[in-house]
Amino acid sequence: MEKRSELYRGKAKTVYQTDDPNRLILEFRNDTSAFDGEKVEQLDDKGMVNNRFNHFIMTRLEEAGIPTQLDRLLSDNESLVKKLDMIPVECVVRNVAAGSLVRRLGVEEGKALNPPTFEFFLKNDALHDPMVNEYHIQAFGWATKEQIEQMKTLTFKVNAVLKSLFEQAGLILVDYKLEFGVCDGELVLGDEFTPDGCRLWDAKTREKLDKDRFRQGLGGVVEAYREVAQRLGVQLS
Ligand code: TMP
């Protein structure tokens, strides 16, 4: 597999073309960003931890019948993935109130949500990822009605799989963000699943073990990611 030119540089990952037109390389960098790129820092080993974490989670999801973008791990910081046409919306499921939900609705952080909630956000840093609904998504042509239904179904299926996986590791899956794309007409889970894009709390102490440590300046960011990885049995180098 030959790595070719850079296709896109995101806030934490770089995407490269390869000699195979159907495959891309995702490079997980140490850059850590919050508040739509307003706060950025380099955290040693974060790229390696997130790349291996993502590979572990995507493999569990594939085993559960969820189609993902992942092909294989290439190195500490790189994974080979299928080339997708990305849908520019983020799918967020929340099991427990935190983050923007708490700010928006003035509800108490930590309240269990029954049923878990689902929200769409437009991927647009300049606009601070505004919340959108199914009408906006269809009216602006970001996805079809059928793709919207499939994104909701798959995002909740991921919840069933991962809630129990994290529970067995003594962790609460508070909320998470997924992105989807299309490959050969099929809706496929893309991007990443790492502690950069979800909230994970220790089940006993409720200690935050995700990117909120960075957002809130709590320190020990990569240490927390390593702790989660170790509890799940993710092989780190
Ligand atoms: P929020 O509480 O800020 O809306 O975020 C909900 C979850 O989605 C949280 O786990 C963080 C994740 N998320 C991202 O990873 N990137 C984003 O751009 C947004 C809006 C949320």
Side-chain angles (χ1 to χ4, degrees):
M1 182 57 51
E2 195 186 307
K3 192 172 179 178
R4 295 220 171 137
S5 58
E6 183 180 311
L7 187 64
Y8 172 79
R9 186 179 169 90
K11 291 183 298 253
K13 296 190 295 301
T14 308
V15 183
Y16 293 90
Q17 281 175 319
T18 69
D19 52 346
D20 180 344
N22 301 314
R23 289 289 181 276
L24 299 172
I25 292 175
L26 283 190
E27 184 200 357
F28 289 74
R29 307 195 314 270
N30 287 343
D31 293 314
T32 312
S33 142
F35 314 119
D36 306 314
E38 221 174 81
K39 176 176 176 176
V40 182
E41 278 174 33
Q42 305 271 317
L43 300 177
D44 284 352
D45 288 341
K46 201 205 63 156
M48 178 276 291
V49 173
N50 274 6
N51 184 38
R52 290 179 173 272
F53 195 104
N54 181 61
H55 175 261
F56 178 91
I57 296 288
M58 292 294 176
T59 303
R60 298 288 89 76
L61 295 176
E62 283 278 356
E63 287 165 0
I66 294 157
T68 80
Q69 182 179 23
L70 188 78
D71 182 338
R72 63 190 162 89
L73 203 64
L74 287 180
S75 71
D76 269 356
N77 296 18
E78 299 162 306
S79 287
L80 189 67
V81 299
K82 294 170 201 154
K83 185 171 188 163
L84 307 184
D85 279 327
M86 293 304 292
I87 294 174
V89 300
E90 303 184 333
C91 301
V92 171
V93 160
R94 301 174 194 270
N95 295 305
V96 177
S100 73
L101 183 75
V102 167
R103 291 195 297 276
R104 220 178 320 123
L105 304 183
V107 295
E108 188 191 339
E109 182 181 77
K111 182 183 163 44
L113 300 172
N114 186 18
T117 63
F118 184 99
E119 297 157 345
F120 284 115
F121 294 90
L122 177 65
K123 239 180 117 61
N124 185 323
D125 279 341
L127 297 176
H128 302 292
D129 293 349
M131 187 190 271
V132 291
N133 67 31
E134 300 177 18
Y135 289 89
H136 302 126
I137 294 172
Q138 283 181 74
F140 294 108
W142 296 321
T144 64
K145 195 176 172 63
E146 192 193 4
Q147 288 169 337
I148 289 169
E149 287 312 316
Q150 285 179 334
M151 286 194 285
K152 287 199 287 188
T153 302
L154 285 175
T155 303
F156 277 116
K157 194 166 174 188
V158 166
N159 200 36
V161 176
L162 295 189
K163 238 171 70 166
S164 100
L165 187 79
F166 285 116
E167 212 170 87
Q168 286 162 31
L171 296 160
I172 301 169
L173 178 59
V174 171
D175 58 28
Y176 58 92
K177 179 266 300 178
L178 301 182
E179 294 180 29
F180 292 89
V182 180
C183 180
D184 298 329
E186 187 195 20
L187 194 81
V188 173
L189 175 61
D191 193 48
E192 66 177 83
F193 192 105
T194 68
D196 269 4
C198 68
R199 290 192 171 92
L200 295 165
W201 293 352
D202 180 90
K204 282 207 188 93
T205 63
R206 300 216 145 196
E207 186 188 5
K208 293 175 176 163
L209 298 169
D210 54 65
K211 201 164 85 173
D212 269 349
R213 298 201 70 82
F214 178 71
R215 294 190 189 96
Q216 299 174 8
L218 301 174
V221 180
V222 178
E223 290 77 0
Y225 290 22
R226 280 184 180 277
E227 163 77 22
V228 172
Q230 186 244 320
R231 288 200 208 176
L232 289 173
V234 180
Q235 202 77 44
L236 299 180
S237 58

